[in-house]
Amino acid sequence: MTTFRLAHLSDLQLPPPPLPFRWRDAASKRLLSRFAWRRKQHRHLQAVLDAIAADVAARAPDHIAITGDVINFATPEEFAAARQWLEALGAPDHITVSPGNHDALSAAGAPKGFEPWKPWLSDGAEGGFPYLRVRGPVALVNLSSAVPTALHLAQGTLGRAQIEAAGRLLRESGERGLYRVVLLHHPVARGVVAGRKALTDAEALRAMLAETGAELVLHGHAHEALMTSTPGPRGAIPILAVPAASTPAGGRGQPARWNEIAITAEDRRFRTEVTARGITPTLAVETLGSFVLC
């Protein structure tokens, strides 16, 4: 019997370092987003994120999954600062990052293919998403729904090629008897977020999952603790989301939380137990509850 513990956190929205003014930003979505950040920066605090990260490290999971919005404006300075933060959190082979819409806010000046984070995206695979990372009994199928969008939109898109490739990875992993976890930023189930924030090809992703199956889907974006599902070939596939990992308790929005997911494998059968850990007003992190998925 083997138990693999996977930590899931999302929507870090690391406070940006000092950013120079660039004329190209004045004609992009970044300018409006920087004004919005000034109004909302109290909703994402470094001290809260540091407390969550310290709690994750103290519990020493086997792997950490971060489902996007690591940064805010997709500037080169933010990518570099976030890389330093990731390095402090753990080795690249110990952490998988699935980018979010803020990580791809604007194509202008942003590193192509999230290059500074490449070691945290895959195990060195050539080409683009999806990436497969196998850790013990678990297959992490890492997708990217992060694409630049127009003003006032926060949608995501996977694209037909990525969905088809993900389907192949899920089938192959299932044949190997692995516990398959799909990682992406945007919600998969219907009605979780408004249309302007939704995954544009969620229906195609759901159709693929209904055919190939998966044991678990993890996402962020909604800034809420959620448990939804989507049909699979042998029953419903559970989908979990967590609030933003930098949101303080007592403020607007659900306070920061992360999930510790214990996957126990025995004779190609799995048991999944989830423990939620959340921030308090004093910046302590405590267990909020636990439940068994299957």
Side-chain angles (χ1 to χ4, degrees):
M1 183 182 297
T2 302
T3 297
F4 183 93
R5 293 185 304 120
L6 176 66
H8 175 216
L9 56 158
S10 193
D11 298 83
L12 316 184
Q13 298 198 242
L14 284 160
L19 301 176
F21 176 80
R22 299 182 176 95
W23 282 107
R24 70 184 179 215
D25 291 347
S28 78
K29 191 175 180 179
R30 284 198 188 104
L31 185 62
L32 182 62
S33 295
R34 286 172 73 164
F35 284 125
W37 172 260
R38 291 176 183 175
R39 298 196 316 270
K40 300 177 182 178
Q41 57 185 312
H42 62 281
R43 301 183 194 175
H44 298 283
L45 301 183
Q46 182 75 55
V48 173
L49 179 57
D50 289 346
I52 290 289
D55 189 61
V56 171
R59 292 178 73 88
D62 295 296
H63 199 78
I64 301 170
I66 300 174
T67 51
D69 281 2
V70 177
I71 54 179
N72 295 280
F73 314 124
T75 63
E77 294 83 4
E78 287 179 291
F79 272 94
R83 181 184 174 103
Q84 291 182 339
W85 189 90
L86 289 169
E87 288 172 343
L89 183 64
D93 63 353
H94 184 62
I95 304 165
T96 299
V97 174
S98 177
N101 54 289
H102 277 277
D103 304 322
L105 189 78
S106 173
K112 186 176 180 180
F114 311 102
E115 185 62 32
W117 301 347
K118 198 75 170 182
W120 291 268
L121 305 180
S122 75
D123 289 332
E126 296 296 326
F129 288 90
Y131 295 119
L132 174 67
R133 309 186 91 179
V134 177
R135 301 291 185 270
V138 174
L140 299 162
V141 179
N142 191 19
L143 309 182
S144 175
S145 58
V147 293
T149 57
L151 289 175
H152 307 299
L153 295 180
Q155 293 172 323
T157 300
L158 295 169
R160 178 178 176 182
Q162 188 177 180
I163 292 174
E164 290 179 349
R168 291 191 293 271
L169 293 177
L170 287 168
R171 280 191 292 271
E172 293 166 4
S173 300
E175 290 168 359
R176 293 169 60 183
L178 298 170
Y179 184 104
R180 299 162 296 173
V181 181
V182 177
L183 306 177
L184 77 164
H185 180 64
H186 288 78
V188 177
R190 292 183 176 89
V192 173
V193 292
R196 72 178 188 86
K197 297 182 178 181
L199 183 67
T200 61
D201 45 8
E203 184 174 352
L205 177 60
R206 290 193 295 266
M208 181 272 284
L209 291 171
E211 179 181 347
T212 64
E215 280 60 59
L216 183 62
V217 177
L218 302 178
H219 72 83
H221 192 53
H223 292 200
E224 294 182 52
L226 297 168
M227 183 169 64
T228 55
S229 66
T230 192
R234 291 183 295 277
I237 299 169
I239 305 172
L240 297 179
V242 287
S246 53
T247 301
R252 182 173 176 180
Q254 291 188 6
R257 181 185 300 191
W258 69 280
N259 284 340
E260 182 182 64
I261 303 165
I263 301 159
T264 302
E266 185 175 14
D267 297 329
R268 296 175 71 95
R269 298 181 65 181
F270 299 100
R271 181 180 188 272
T272 308
E273 183 175 1
V274 181
T275 300
R277 302 273 296 170
I279 199 78
T280 70
T282 61
L283 296 183
V285 182
E286 62 184 18
T287 296
L288 305 177
S290 61
F291 55 92
V292 175
L293 284 178
C294 58

